[in-house]
Amino acid sequence: MSKKVPNRYGYYGIFGGKFIPETLTRALAELERAYFQAKSDAKFKRELNGYLKEFAGRPTPLYFAERLSEYTGLKIYLKREDLLHTGAHKINNTLAQALLAKKMGKTRVIAETGAGQHGVATAVAAARLNLECEIFMGEEDMHRQALNVYRMQLLGAKITKVLSGSKTLKDATNEALRNWVSTVEKTHYIIGSVVGPHPYPQIVRDFQSVIGTETKRQLLKRVSRLPDYLIACVGGGSNAMGLFYPFVNDKKVKLIGVEAGGLGLTSAKHAATLCKGSVGVLHGSKSYLLQDRYGQINIAHSISAGLDYPGVGPEHSFLKMSGRAKYVSVTDKDALDAFVLLSRIEGIIPALESAHAIAYTVKLSKKIKKNSLIIICLSGRGDKDMDIVREQNIIK
Amino acid sequence: MNRINLKIQELEKSGKKAFIPYITAGFPDIKTCRKIIQALIDSGADFIELGMPFSDPIADGPTIQLSSQTAIAKGMNLPKYLALIRKIRKTTQLPLIMMTYYNPLFKFGIKNFARTACLCGLDGVIVPDLLPEEAKELAQNLKKYGIHLIYLVAPTTTKKRMHMIAKISTGFIYYVSLTGVTGIRKTLHPQLHKNVRVLKRYCRVPVYVGFGISSAGQIKKINLVADGVIVGSALIKFILANSNRSHFTKRLKRFISGLSKSCAK
């Protein structure tokens, strides 16, 4: 693990790379240059940190979840990304990439969105930094997340309805890529997760690493030790990568990514790419995918729109293959139970995505040593999920 | 010798420009697709570019997305595609070129694909999401079996890259006429002629231009500098509008002849 990934070609072991149309080569080369410049530019860092602190609300608390700890017999800390402006970790990345877009002289940003969280976070960053903004969203997701559509419009973004394929995140990503191919000269594409062609998985990981870096500092200050487990949900995998990355070389810290098991891994309706997928190429990089035997991409399913994606970031595939991280899944039902549980005993309504990480922790508590020290990334808050959860008639 | 090279020699001798129609394999269904291919052969196609549909075609506009979705829904996949190539090969010696995305080939296995494609009589492969930098495995395997991997050059390609691509290209170079995805456009890219002229200075192989081309007028203009054209979405649109009408084959042949004639000397 001591070897740095990605290598200069954007590979994490056998995963990653740049599988894109020729038209985008210049833009990606330009992005790579701008990113590496910005990375070592004190002024860029100062500006970004200013926005993260004053505008987004960093640092976020590392909260000791006392009642959840009692309930499980563990010591559980929640990294409260749900308390950020726009209600999820997505803004760490969108603010940074929008600043990068400005630096490159682009006047317009585009993004794909599933649940709408990345779309809203992009629209917010674009409004603040005075960039033109267009968001691509599957028709299916626009129904599921109607309120977020309105939010983005209110922020001045143009929403483009995507009608192709399964009309969800995968297709919104296709459409954003197509739009980028057509408008690449003045447009920067803000990818929302650690996916896509190099250098995107690295850029998003680095910008999200603030989650893990803060967590480490906060925890060391409080309990003077590293955690036993880091647990985070994985769709594309940006909050998990952001939490894991600063701990990758701390070999004693176990990393667990929780995928969306949907209706169960034996059904065809899940989004557990790392648990059940196979290696392939989608959206610009080589990674695990949900695909049929002929290499056509399958439609993912999850109650949580943010995890409903048939691909996953290449670095997660690498962490899985090298054995450094473990990937598991919980079902829609498990996630709903955890959604209610955290609301009732901690007074925190988690996003359905983050509820997957809570659900797995509850399961894990029966198998591991009492009082193990656990960090869960609470990647977002559940306000956006009210309609979906209400339909489930949980409250009797 | 590869049928693409033979065809290029023949075209160079006669001074004719190449006319390459694109259709999606298995669209609107396998039976009609075979009829369409015969019509293309009968009405002046020099090469046939046959799309192997992929569920997530990021370089394609709405028309080819639709034909791809339809073909997949009707059961098209890579083994069936190769079987189709084998059947067509029995009736014609025209160069047959596959257009697909990387994942179906990767899933099939690159070695296995190259061998099977050769046995079936495929002459060239175009993979719009595979840059030369990522194409080494595929290129080596195809080369072993005498199949050309055709690279693309776009309006945003730097001169340095153009040079690199020209150097490694065999068969021909596919010049993407515009900054965008496939689909009919009214006007041509303002830099098209200049870019093709620059590219041609670097390379020994012919340059064929595709994306956005739909009319005889456009073809004539492009052929002032290019060695030939590829027409895809316009043809798929025509098939969509006419495949259920009477005398479909006759109409199709008339449509194709109209375009292919504009490539005559």
Side-chain angles (χ1 to χ4, degrees):
Chain A
M1 285 315 293
S2 51
K3 244 183 161 176
K4 276 240 168 181
V5 287
N7 69 11
R8 55 191 286 235
Y9 306 106
Y11 273 87
Y12 305 79
I14 63 161
F15 303 105
K18 273 187 197 178
F19 295 84
I20 47 154
E22 175 62 31
T23 310
L24 294 178
T25 51
R26 197 160 79 188
L28 282 177
E30 185 190 353
L31 176 61
E32 209 172 329
R33 258 195 318 277
Y35 174 64
F36 285 108
Q37 256 171 35
K39 226 177 145 175
S40 54
D41 177 2
K43 195 177 146 237
F44 179 84
K45 276 197 263 188
R46 222 173 20 247
E47 203 178 349
L48 175 57
N49 286 337
Y51 280 113
L52 288 177
K53 184 170 171 230
E54 307 291 339
F55 184 70
R58 299 215 74 91
T60 58
L62 184 68
Y63 174 72
F64 179 62
E66 197 180 339
R67 291 192 63 202
L68 185 64
S69 296
E70 256 167 48
Y71 181 84
T72 55
L74 305 168
K75 289 215 170 339
I76 299 176
Y77 288 83
L78 304 175
K79 182 58 176 163
R80 298 291 307 272
E81 296 297 294
D82 61 316
L83 293 176
L84 285 170
H85 180 34
T86 72
H89 71 291
K90 295 290 182 188
I91 196 152
N92 301 329
N93 171 47
T94 59
L95 273 173
Q97 281 203 49
L99 267 177
L100 205 55
K102 279 233 136 175
K103 215 175 131 78
M104 289 188 289
K106 308 278 179 180
T107 55
R108 174 174 177 266
V109 292
I110 56 170
E112 81 293 344
T113 198
Q117 292 309 94
H118 175 58
V120 169
T122 302
V124 159
R128 178 62 191 82
L129 294 169
N130 193 20
L131 292 157
E132 194 189 325
C133 179
E134 183 170 350
I135 306 291
F136 296 84
M137 192 168 185
E139 190 188 31
E140 190 68 27
D141 289 335
M142 286 179 74
H143 288 307
R144 290 200 278 192
Q145 303 283 349
L147 215 52
N148 267 343
V149 174
Y150 186 70
R151 239 174 231 139
M152 291 183 274
Q153 284 165 338
L154 197 63
L155 290 158
K158 180 184 167 198
I159 315 299
T160 298
K161 189 194 283 182
V162 176
L163 296 162
S164 56
S166 60
K167 306 181 177 79
T168 61
L169 180 56
K170 158 180 97 77
D171 310 282
T173 308
N174 289 338
E175 213 48 49
L177 277 165
R178 288 183 190 116
N179 184 278
W180 196 32
V181 171
S182 316
T183 59
V184 63
E185 270 135 32
K186 65 164 189 169
T187 302
H188 173 64
Y189 176 19
I190 301 186
I191 288 189
S193 192
V194 285
V195 300
H198 178 68
Y200 277 108
Q202 181 182 8
I203 291 182
V204 179
R205 173 196 77 191
D206 290 353
F207 287 149
Q208 290 294 1
S209 287
V210 65
I211 302 173
T213 310
E214 263 179 31
T215 299
K216 203 174 195 175
R217 198 177 56 228
Q218 290 166 323
L219 193 69
L220 286 176
K221 201 172 158 197
R222 266 187 60 190
V223 297
S224 308
R225 60 164 289 203
L226 289 173
D228 298 311
Y229 291 87
L230 298 179
I231 300 177
C233 64
V234 176
S238 68
N239 88 85
M241 210 57 239
L243 178 66
F244 293 173
Y245 188 62
F247 292 90
V248 161
N249 289 325
D250 301 312
K251 300 251 167 73
K252 284 195 176 150
V253 180
K254 296 183 185 69
L255 313 177
I256 299 182
V258 186
E259 296 194 302
L263 303 183
L265 295 196
T266 49
S267 75
K269 296 200 134 200
H270 62 77
T273 312
L274 288 159
C275 294
K276 291 286 280 183
S278 56
V279 180
V281 172
L282 176 69
H283 295 150
S285 60
K286 192 181 279 180
S287 193
Y288 276 84
L289 301 178
L290 296 178
Q291 57 183 330
D292 70 11
R293 55 194 288 221
Y294 302 114
Q296 306 292 355
I297 309 307
N298 285 343
I299 292 168
H301 165 85
S302 168
I303 189 166
S304 118
L307 302 182
D308 199 347
Y309 181 65
V312 69
E315 194 162 6
H316 282 297
S317 293
F318 174 67
L319 291 176
K320 173 192 158 85
M321 195 169 257
S322 68
R324 179 64 189 93
K326 195 175 131 189
Y327 296 88
V328 297
S329 74
V330 300
T331 62
D332 285 352
K333 191 180 170 301
D334 296 333
L336 273 168
D337 290 346
F339 184 92
V340 178
L341 176 72
L342 198 73
S343 304
R344 294 280 163 91
I345 69 173
E346 288 291 350
I348 297 170
I349 301 176
L352 274 172
E353 289 79 6
S354 322
H356 284 70
I358 308 285
Y360 184 74
T361 307
V362 173
K363 283 189 170 182
L364 184 70
S365 68
K366 289 160 194 148
K367 293 189 263 181
I368 61 170
K369 235 172 54 200
K370 263 198 152 213
N371 291 324
S372 294
L373 184 56
I374 314 275
I375 308 281
I376 301 174
C377 186
L378 200 67
S379 56
R381 58 176 173 247
D383 307 34
K384 68 180 175 60
D385 297 316
M386 285 304 122
D387 285 340
I388 296 162
V389 175
R390 198 162 56 181
E391 278 169 22
Q392 307 289 325
N393 278 322
I394 308 169
I395 304 170
K396 304 268 158 35
Chain B
M1 198 181 194
N2 184 297
R3 278 171 285 256
I4 293 175
N5 299 81
L6 287 173
K7 189 64 173 185
I8 289 169
Q9 278 182 2
E10 181 194 318
L11 288 167
E12 274 169 0
K13 249 183 231 158
S14 68
K16 184 185 177 298
K17 303 287 186 175
F19 174 67
I20 309 174
Y22 163 93
I23 55 165
T24 305
F27 173 79
D29 54 68
I30 293 203
K31 208 174 134 207
T32 315
C33 180
R34 287 202 62 190
K35 269 194 223 157
I36 293 168
I37 292 165
Q38 193 52 50
L40 300 179
I41 296 169
D42 294 343
S43 38
D46 294 303
F47 302 65
I48 290 172
E49 189 188 333
L50 193 58
M52 157 61 214
F54 177 52
S55 53
D56 296 78
I58 54 170
D60 285 303
T63 308
I64 296 179
Q65 285 172 43
L66 182 71
S67 63
S68 300
Q69 258 181 31
T70 309
I72 293 170
K74 295 251 165 100
M76 185 45 70
N77 56 41
L78 190 49
K80 280 191 191 163
Y81 178 97
L82 292 167
L84 178 63
I85 293 283
R86 188 195 287 268
K87 275 187 198 150
I88 304 165
R89 181 49 77 214
K90 284 186 181 145
T91 64
T92 178
Q93 283 305 307
L94 277 195
L96 300 174
I97 300 164
M98 167 193 256
M99 181 348 251
T100 193
Y101 290 80
Y102 192 51
N103 199 49
L105 305 183
F106 179 78
K107 188 76 183 164
F108 194 84
I110 298 302
K111 258 190 197 161
N112 191 15
F113 165 70
R115 194 178 55 237
T116 318
C118 173
L119 287 175
C120 295
L122 196 69
D123 305 295
V125 179
I126 303 169
V127 191
D129 63 344
L130 196 67
L131 302 175
E133 290 90 333
E134 299 283 1
K136 290 193 182 92
E137 190 190 359
L138 182 61
Q140 275 166 11
N141 279 284
L142 289 177
K143 196 180 166 194
K144 211 165 109 189
Y145 291 98
I147 300 172
H148 292 303
L149 179 58
I150 306 297
Y151 295 110
L152 297 101
V153 169
T156 50
T157 305
T158 58
K159 281 191 180 170
K160 203 174 147 200
R161 276 186 73 79
M162 265 192 201
H163 209 81
M164 180 270 286
I165 294 168
K167 228 168 92 184
I168 58 168
S169 282
T170 60
F172 61 89
I173 287 181
Y174 190 134
Y175 183 78
V176 177
S177 75
L178 47 87
T179 314
V181 293
T182 58
I184 296 168
R185 309 290 201 283
K186 280 192 193 119
T187 53
L188 296 172
H189 194 281
Q191 300 289 316
L192 177 66
H193 287 76
K194 194 180 137 226
N195 288 343
V196 173
R197 262 194 210 105
V198 172
L199 177 60
K200 279 192 66 83
R201 238 183 279 141
Y202 294 138
C203 64
R204 284 168 301 178
V205 297
V207 174
Y208 301 152
V209 176
F211 281 43
I213 303 166
S214 60
S215 70
Q218 284 176 328
I219 293 176
K220 279 185 183 147
K221 268 189 209 154
I222 291 169
N223 279 339
L224 290 174
V225 287
D227 301 301
V229 294
I230 301 149
V231 177
S233 297
L235 179 50
I236 301 285
K237 270 217 156 132
F238 184 88
I239 296 167
L240 264 175
N242 293 284
S243 67
N244 288 324
R245 296 175 66 190
S246 55
H247 308 296
F248 167 56
T249 320
K250 213 167 129 194
R251 285 172 206 272
L252 180 66
K253 282 185 183 172
R254 203 182 309 141
F255 176 74
I256 298 296
S257 302
L259 296 174
S260 78
K261 269 182 199 143
S262 49
C263 285
K265 195 178 169 183

